[in-house]
Amino acid sequence: MSALLAARGLAKSFGAVVAAADLDLEVEAGEIHALIGPNGAGKTTVLGLLSGELRPDRGRVFLSGREVTHAPVHERVRLGLGRTFQLSCVLPSFSVLENVAIAVQAREGSSFRFWKPASPDPRLEEPAFALLERLGIDALADRPAAMLAHGERRLLELAMALASRPKVLLLDEPLAGVGSKEAQRLVEILARLRAEVGVLLVEHDMDAVFRLADRITVLVNGRAIASGPPSVVRADPLVRAAYLGDDSER
Amino acid sequence: MRAATRAPVSVRKLEGGSVAPLVFVALALAVLGADLWAGPYYVKLLTRAMIVALAALALDLLVGLAGLVSLGHAAFVGIGAYAVGILAEHGITSGWIQWPVALVASAAAAAVIGALSLRTRGVHFIMITLAFAQMLYFAANSLSRYGGDDGLTIWNRSDFGGIVSLADRRTFAWLCFVLLLSVYVALARLSASRFGRVLRGAKDNERRMAALGFAVTRFRLVAFVISGTVAGLAGVLLANLTEFVAPAYMSWHRSGELLAMVVLGGMGSLYGAILGAFAFVLLEELLSRFTTHWALLFGPFLVLVVLVGRGGIAGLLARLGRIR
Ligand SMILES: Nc1ncnc2c1ncn2[C@@H]1O[C@H](COP(=O)(O)OP(=O)(O)OP(=O)(O)O)[C@@H](O)[C@H]1O
Ligand SMILES: [Mg+2]
């Protein structure tokens, strides 16, 4: 089992709605694996099962070969799993820098400190600021996260996820609602990320998916109807019928 | 790389800034003045207000900083008070034994109650802390060996040998002052520390904190135990002040009053909890002179402060400061 992240026979239903059915999925080191499918296919649910927010009805999850099916969210994070959310999820009353600094603090594993102020503390703030620079939002460092525009918040979320130095990153529609200039920047950032972290990318923007993905899995009603390199998936008649549309121009 | 100097937004709101030292200077002057000119009655009143402020401070750590609304905090005050009373009843009057036992007992109770309550969220958390406090209230009522619902008279205050004499009203007042100041400083440090930042983060967005790798419940439990222990300390002092302990110390009215003080003072500004406690105790004293139905007047006053002065007394002060 060499994959960074692997799911075997994952299944989850909400009443009659099947959100995942007998799903196998891997993310290898150095790859971007895209998970696509129509609305309600179960993509977010699958990310929840992998991150530990949801319990599967059946199936198992492995992180670097180690079974984590029953491990809580925070333990999987310690083992190298990071994620961003479909609806932006930051700490609204914290400043941008503080949002990332607390993510660095989580990685450092030294939070039972009661006396010394958490800020200023270069051991937290310097790595945090470096990440903001890398994502091009360092000018916003002192702004409360609640006041960010949508696209800026997505970048902040990514910075927070990266601050924990994950081995695998689960991204839920990072480009949704982001302006085209910022989307461009995000795509470039993600492309460069490939070298340091495996990515499972859920995304509706097909241009971005086909530019970034090394492998694509197509999910419909919780089932993987196709999985493989972009060129193969693009040509798959089932996929064209179910999702891409018959003329496949999106 | 830039030099990180400015305090982050969320901390700036919580810190007392220049107000907190003023609060303590004013308090010290009040104790001094009461002692010199107003007489023993007022010294005792101020002492009681300081003890109540200590309990409110404990609760504000949970409500204001961690966003956990406990409606059963009087239980820990009661445990601290009963520990002193029960030991005294058995002839153990040494403070060196009484105080540690009382603090350990309230910490242990907080660990158990916290561990169970923190499995729930929101309204359920409020209800379950209330339920635990009621259980302890009725347990105390049934302690017939220790006075049952009549309560228990404490014949001697805690004895610290020759070091401090709690029997001396002035010494006792200053001891309460020093303890209140120390706890305030410790909790203010805690609130700006890494630990405090985790609590604030979890209040802001628990899901995000878990996704960052924090075992949120563990941090909240530690906060709950710290808070319960400080409330227990307030109970120890209260038992010594009144030389009496009764189940009423743990009733839900007392818990509700503590919560009212925290809201009145302005949640999350620690010195606000102290102001809230003083406003509460002194207003109660004042209003009860005019009418036995003082609560009738106090209710509307509380509503007014919450509606008009968002952020309570501390919020009002902060806004006044800004206008100036
Ligand atoms: N907690 C829940 N309770 C009940 N049903 C749910 C729950 N979460 C998801 N579902 C249902 O499961 C199905 C899959 O939802 P999911 O959010 O995983 O889809 P998705 O592929 O992420 O869709 P989208 O592209 O719109 O984000 C949907 O029909 C949804 O209504
Ligand atoms: Mg989704």
Side-chain angles (χ1 to χ4, degrees):
Chain A
M1 196 147 306
S2 66
L4 287 178
L5 175 67
R8 296 279 168 260
L10 222 47
K12 177 82 182 174
S13 307
F14 299 103
V17 179
V18 177
D22 198 23
L23 194 67
D24 289 339
L25 207 67
E26 294 99 37
V27 180
E28 310 273 357
E31 84 165 336
I32 295 182
H33 186 159
L35 183 63
I36 63 173
N39 290 115
K43 305 178 296 294
T44 298
T45 304
V46 169
L47 295 194
L49 293 171
L50 295 172
S51 71
E53 277 199 353
L54 296 172
R55 288 283 120 109
D57 299 336
R58 260 168 292 116
R60 306 162 77 184
V61 180
F62 300 87
L63 257 176
S64 308
R66 184 160 157 192
E67 173 150 20
V68 293
T69 313
H70 302 288
V73 177
H74 60 87
E75 216 167 295
R76 297 184 203 206
V77 176
R78 300 233 172 261
L79 291 170
L81 188 68
R83 86 169 287 192
T84 65
F85 295 87
Q86 183 165 356
L87 300 170
S88 286
C89 191
V90 297
L91 306 172
S93 76
F94 281 40
S95 74
V96 167
L97 183 66
E98 240 192 326
N99 263 281
V100 187
I102 199 169
V104 176
Q105 184 181 320
R107 173 188 82 209
E108 273 206 341
S110 49
S111 290
F112 283 101
R113 297 199 186 160
F114 302 86
W115 188 255
K116 244 188 73 192
S119 174
D121 180 347
R123 269 176 314 161
L124 300 180
E125 283 165 4
E126 277 176 16
F129 198 75
L131 271 166
L132 293 183
E133 281 179 323
R134 186 170 158 196
L135 298 194
I137 48 174
D138 46 309
L140 304 173
D142 284 329
R143 188 166 306 176
M147 285 168 57
L148 294 183
H150 179 74
E152 297 165 342
R153 205 173 313 146
R154 301 248 78 158
L155 286 164
L156 172 57
E157 262 209 281
L158 189 57
M160 292 170 80
L162 288 175
S164 31
R165 293 213 186 120
K167 297 190 202 119
V168 199
L169 203 48
L170 312 177
L171 303 177
D172 202 349
E173 303 195 21
L175 300 179
V178 174
S180 61
K181 233 181 69 200
E182 268 154 340
Q184 188 70 26
R185 189 154 90 217
L186 260 165
V187 168
E188 279 161 26
I189 291 166
L190 293 180
R192 266 181 282 136
L193 269 184
R194 194 187 330 240
E196 58 183 273
V197 41
V199 176
L200 184 61
L201 173 68
V202 170
E203 184 51 62
H204 280 298
D205 178 339
M206 285 307 124
D207 288 341
V209 166
F210 281 104
R211 269 178 65 193
L212 287 169
D214 303 293
R215 183 160 35 152
I216 299 178
T217 295
V218 183
L219 203 65
V220 176
N221 293 330
R223 267 167 223 288
I225 60 164
S227 185
S231 54
V232 175
V233 168
R234 199 200 284 269
D236 189 310
L238 260 177
V239 176
R240 297 172 77 107
Y243 185 51
L244 291 176
D246 256 334
D247 56 327
S248 94
E249 290 311 316
R250 270 191 62 143
Chain B
M1 195 97 334
R2 60 161 215 173
T5 44
R6 258 171 294 172
V9 195
S10 59
V11 173
R12 247 177 276 150
K13 256 193 324 203
L14 282 160
E15 277 172 346
S18 53
V19 180
L22 287 182
V23 169
F24 280 98
V25 168
L27 182 52
L29 290 177
V31 174
L32 209 60
D35 187 28
L36 285 178
W37 297 299
Y41 179 83
Y42 288 95
V43 174
K44 188 168 177 183
L45 180 65
L46 278 176
T47 307
R48 187 159 69 84
M50 287 191 279
I51 294 171
V52 172
L54 193 59
L57 205 52
L59 183 58
D60 198 21
L61 172 67
L62 282 189
V63 179
L65 188 63
L68 301 166
V69 179
S70 161
L71 191 46
H73 241 51
F76 303 113
V77 177
I79 289 172
Y82 262 98
V84 170
I86 291 173
L87 287 175
E89 182 72 4
H90 289 282
I92 302 168
T93 55
S94 166
W96 301 113
I97 299 174
Q98 281 183 348
W99 289 39
V101 168
L103 295 185
V104 169
S106 26
V112 173
I113 293 177
L116 295 169
S117 307
L118 286 168
R119 291 158 177 262
T120 63
R121 299 280 179 277
V123 179
H124 296 109
F125 181 82
I126 299 179
M127 296 309 290
I128 197 167
T129 49
L130 173 62
F132 275 117
Q134 286 300 91
M135 274 166 55
L136 287 169
Y137 171 77
F138 286 113
N141 261 303
S142 66
L143 288 178
S144 48
R145 166 81 179 77
Y146 303 107
D149 57 355
D150 288 336
L152 182 64
T153 300
I154 297 167
W155 298 106
N156 290 299
R157 290 187 176 180
S158 301
D159 176 15
F160 282 99
I163 298 182
V164 277
S165 163
L166 303 195
D168 179 63
R169 130 174 50 82
R170 189 177 298 134
T171 309
F172 190 53
W174 286 111
L175 176 68
C176 290
F177 177 83
V178 168
L179 286 174
L180 181 62
L181 178 60
S182 313
V183 169
Y184 172 79
V185 169
L187 293 188
R189 298 288 304 210
L190 181 149
S191 125
S193 73
R194 289 188 177 199
F195 178 80
R197 177 139 86 178
V198 174
L199 292 181
R200 273 181 286 125
K203 176 187 171 192
D204 239 22
N205 190 338
E206 180 174 354
R207 187 172 184 218
R208 190 10 114 189
M209 291 298 280
L212 286 177
F214 290 106
V216 169
T217 303
R218 213 173 295 162
F219 289 87
R220 287 179 169 162
L221 182 57
V222 172
F224 200 94
V225 170
I226 294 173
S227 172
T229 310
V230 172
L233 176 62
V236 168
L237 294 170
L238 196 61
N240 273 290
L241 179 76
T242 57
E243 300 173 326
F244 179 69
V245 51
Y249 284 27
M250 302 199 222
S251 80
W252 67 271
H253 301 93
R254 291 286 152 311
S255 296
E257 283 172 11
L258 285 178
L259 207 51
M261 292 169 203
V262 170
V263 175
L264 185 63
M267 273 172 285
S269 53
L270 290 169
Y271 72 90
I274 298 177
L275 293 177
F278 270 84
F280 193 102
V281 171
L282 299 181
L283 267 177
E284 178 188 26
E285 171 73 18
L286 197 68
L287 293 178
S288 62
R289 290 211 182 152
F290 298 117
T291 163
T292 46
H293 303 292
W294 65 273
L296 276 180
L297 294 172
F298 192 75
F301 173 75
L302 192 62
V303 172
L304 203 70
V305 171
V306 172
L307 287 182
V308 177
R310 271 165 302 120
I313 301 174
L316 275 174
L317 287 179
R319 256 176 289 153
L320 282 178
R322 227 171 296 135
I323 291 165
R324 192 159 32 83

